[in-house]
């Protein structure tokens, strides 16, 4: 289940970047910057949950094992 959620968040970040490009071209510069910032926050959240720590264990792995 968590894999599906993380996949949706990554797809959302990609869609936000694409939407920001269109918004920027359309003259909505502030909204485009905010969309890029939101995409970066979403990407960082995915990275936090999936990148392993010094022990080689990702937080997502610990959740799936029940610890």
């Amino acid at each position: 289940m968590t894999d599906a959620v993380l996949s949706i968040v990554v797809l959302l970040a990609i869609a936000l970047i694409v939407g920001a490009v269109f918004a920027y071209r359309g003259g909505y510069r502030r909204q485009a910057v905010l969309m890029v910032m939101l995409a970066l926050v979403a990407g960082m959240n995915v990275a936090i949950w999936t990148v392993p720590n010094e022990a080689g264990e990702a937080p997502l792995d610990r959740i799936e094992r029940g610890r």
Side-chain angles (χ1 to χ4, degrees):
M1 180 65 176
T2 54
D3 292 338
V5 172
L6 291 176
S7 297
I8 291 170
V9 171
V10 170
L11 291 174
L12 170 77
I14 293 169
L16 280 167
I17 295 293
V18 170
V21 169
F22 284 112
Y24 188 81
R25 288 182 182 172
Y28 298 101
R29 307 217 188 294
R30 181 180 295 165
Q31 286 86 351
V33 170
L34 290 173
M35 290 170 77
V36 168
M37 289 174 56
L38 181 58
L40 290 173
V41 168
M44 288 303 298
N45 277 325
V46 171
I48 287 170
W49 283 105
T50 57
V51 174
N53 58 12
E54 304 84 34
E57 199 172 68
L60 186 61
D61 295 336
R62 292 191 326 200
I63 288 176
E64 289 178 351
R65 282 191 304 231
R67 282 198 248 164

